[in-house]
Amino acid sequence: MAEILLLICIGLVVYTYLGYGLVVWLLIRIRGKRPSAKTDESYSPEVTLVVPAYNELSCLPAKITNSLGQDYPRSKIRFLFVTEGSTDGSTEWIKAHYGQEVDVLGGTERRGKVAAMNEALKYVKTPIVIFTDANTQLNKEAIKNIVRHFQDPIVGAVAGEKRILTNDDESAAGSGEGLYWKYESQLKRWDSELHTIVGAAGELFAVRTELYEHVEPDTILDDFIISLRIAGKGFKVAYEPEAYALEHPSFSILDEQKRKIRIAAGGFQSIVRLSYLLNPFKYGILCFEYVSHRVFRWAVAPICLPLIFLLNAWLAYSAFQAPSSMGTAWITLFVLQCLFYGAAWVGYQLEQRRLRWKLLFVPFYFTFMNACALAGLVRYLRGKQSGTWEKVRRADDVLLKVE
């Protein structure tokens, strides 16, 4: 039984991180590439760019300049910055410097990002609303490239791409995050080509305003909940890699750990709130993509990994006690696991000393990500999650303080 359970757990982990991508790629190859939809280059509906910005004064000058520099007809775009609860003078600064060009929605109470988004939608009159974070920079053609997808009436939302800016002297967590997002971006391309992507990145995504639903204020992964609910209605969530948000990685491993645990807790919260999507008879391909790409990543693989180690340790020990035909295989696998997690531990120790070795990025970040997922499960079960903003230091924040 231990051998069977071990093989099942290994199969689930391999499928989660490698097998699913291979299956989707094969399905696309078998079906053939869909013909590109005809687009009208002159298509430019009115849009509203909503920027939640809690205590983001250090980022606002660059963000507003970047937003106003978008390659999109100025008469067709409205800018709405939501600074509710900010205590750093953000509201006053925007009104004083850009009051004639952008709108600002302030307030004295800090209710959280989701509450700010819900409030902002009361003031959105355009058919398309685009959300982006204050600490990101968009490419000049981002809005134009996102909006063109809405010419297809089946498209209910469009996700941009998140890109991580990393330098050689930045953290291993940041470099690992960059590698992770490159892989994740490829999976999104395949998901979108097969059917729909399952979850947008909050750094940049757009929805048809009429499809936006009021989101529970304590929601952690608002971008994921909003986009999946739209997909659940039968609309496609398209992916546009040429509309991207550039973001610096977390400043330290502790900052990244805090962020990852919160996201993981939000993942479990989302699984509960989107449980109706687990019906394959009703949601078909969407259910397949959602379970394989998200549920397995958040709730299955992180639990399987420690089980694999413990079961393998038991089987390796048993092989020493009573040699069997599979004994050598179990011992070899256990040694490889020890080497992998040993490399991850060394990577963590080097990170603590501000020393980086790129060879250790993959084992370090893989282990780190799954450990945070387990911590996120504990946090969710304890009811510790909250919808209020939890600001995490990033490399650019520290650079601004130094300057």
Side-chain angles (χ1 to χ4, degrees):
M1 287 299 296
E3 292 180 348
I4 294 174
L5 183 57
L6 174 60
L7 291 174
I8 290 174
C9 289
I10 291 174
L12 289 172
V13 172
V14 171
Y15 174 76
T16 299
Y17 288 102
L18 296 175
Y20 171 65
L22 178 60
V23 170
V24 172
W25 178 78
L26 287 173
L27 288 174
I28 294 172
R29 297 276 295 191
I30 293 171
R31 186 193 61 191
K33 191 173 183 179
R34 290 176 177 173
S36 300
K38 293 182 179 180
T39 57
D40 181 358
E41 293 297 327
S42 65
Y43 179 73
S44 54
E46 293 185 338
V47 303
T48 299
L49 186 71
V50 174
V51 185
Y54 169 71
N55 281 351
E56 295 283 11
L57 184 58
S58 62
C59 303
L60 287 178
K63 184 63 179 182
I64 294 179
T65 300
N66 176 253
S67 300
L68 294 175
Q70 282 292 304
D71 182 15
Y72 199 79
R74 182 63 65 87
S75 62
K76 297 291 186 70
I77 183 171
R78 179 191 176 198
F79 305 95
L80 178 58
F81 284 73
V82 188
T83 59
E84 62 97 44
S86 293
T87 57
D88 62 351
S90 297
T91 306
E92 295 75 16
W93 186 87
I94 294 176
K95 289 181 178 180
H97 292 82
Y98 293 95
Q100 300 301 314
E101 297 176 274
V102 307
D103 296 318
V104 58
L105 185 60
T108 58
E109 183 182 358
R110 179 190 179 190
R111 296 177 296 168
K113 181 180 179 181
V114 176
M117 293 169 66
N118 288 335
E119 185 67 19
L121 261 291
K122 297 178 182 179
Y123 300 86
V124 174
K125 306 301 180 184
T126 58
I128 297 172
V129 56
I130 303 172
F131 297 99
T132 180
D133 288 346
N135 64 342
T136 64
Q137 293 285 290
L138 308 182
N139 61 308
K140 192 174 182 179
E141 301 80 15
I143 292 178
K144 179 174 66 176
N145 289 338
I146 273 187
V147 164
R148 64 187 178 87
H149 288 274
F150 287 104
Q151 294 182 66
D152 186 346
I154 197 62
V155 173
V158 182
E161 181 172 293
K162 174 181 176 179
R163 299 186 182 179
I164 301 297
L165 290 168
T166 56
N167 301 317
D168 290 339
D169 59 343
E170 288 181 340
S171 69
S175 300
E177 186 182 7
L179 291 172
Y180 170 79
W181 276 106
K182 288 178 182 178
Y183 174 63
E184 185 66 17
S185 295
Q186 184 58 60
L187 286 181
K188 285 184 177 181
R189 288 186 178 93
W190 289 336
D191 281 343
S192 181
E193 192 169 339
L194 179 65
H195 181 61
T196 181
I197 71 167
V198 283
E203 288 74 13
L204 178 61
F205 74 105
V207 303
R208 293 189 189 274
T209 306
E210 63 182 359
L211 296 179
Y212 182 91
E213 290 185 5
H214 186 279
V215 187
E216 298 86 344
D218 66 338
T219 300
I220 299 176
L221 302 183
D222 51 271
D223 46 3
F224 186 78
I225 291 286
I226 292 169
S227 57
L228 260 292
R229 284 176 174 169
I230 289 175
K233 294 178 180 178
F235 291 90
K236 176 179 179 177
V237 181
Y239 180 59
E240 179 49 72
E242 292 307 314
Y244 53 86
L246 295 169
E247 183 178 69
H248 282 274
S250 302
F251 173 64
S252 71
I253 189 63
L254 292 178
D255 289 296
E256 179 66 1
Q257 177 179 315
K258 177 182 178 181
R259 191 179 74 89
K260 282 291 185 187
I261 292 175
R262 175 175 167 80
I263 290 174
F268 288 102
Q269 181 192 64
S270 300
I271 290 172
V272 172
R273 292 185 175 175
L274 297 171
S275 58
Y276 60 90
L277 294 180
L278 300 177
N279 183 348
F281 302 102
K282 183 175 182 180
Y283 295 100
I285 297 178
L286 173 61
C287 177
F288 162 69
E289 290 183 325
Y290 171 55
V291 171
S292 299
H293 195 165
R294 296 302 178 185
V295 176
F296 276 27
R297 184 80 62 86
W298 283 333
V300 176
I303 295 174
C304 284
L305 286 170
L307 284 176
I308 290 172
F309 187 83
L310 293 174
L311 288 168
N312 193 188
W314 168 255
L315 290 172
Y317 172 77
S318 299
F320 276 114
Q321 301 293 75
S324 64
S325 58
M326 289 293 294
T328 302
W330 300 136
I331 293 172
T332 301
L333 178 60
F334 184 68
V335 170
L336 291 175
Q337 282 202 81
C338 290
L339 290 174
F340 182 86
Y341 290 120
W345 181 82
V346 172
Y348 176 77
Q349 294 301 316
L350 291 176
E351 171 63 18
Q352 295 295 91
R353 294 167 173 75
R354 294 292 176 185
L355 299 172
R356 286 101 196 187
W357 188 12
K358 291 187 177 181
L359 185 63
L360 303 177
F361 285 170
V362 172
F364 168 71
Y365 197 72
F366 178 83
T367 305
F368 170 75
M369 183 172 60
N370 283 283
C372 288
L374 291 175
L377 172 60
V378 173
R379 173 174 172 167
Y380 173 72
L381 293 176
R382 290 180 175 177
K384 297 287 186 178
Q385 66 280 354
S386 169
T388 56
W389 275 303
E390 292 186 23
K391 191 171 175 62
V392 175
R393 292 184 304 165
R394 293 189 175 275
D396 53 338
D397 296 330
V398 177
L399 289 174
L400 284 168
K401 290 180 181 177
V402 172
E403 294 172 352

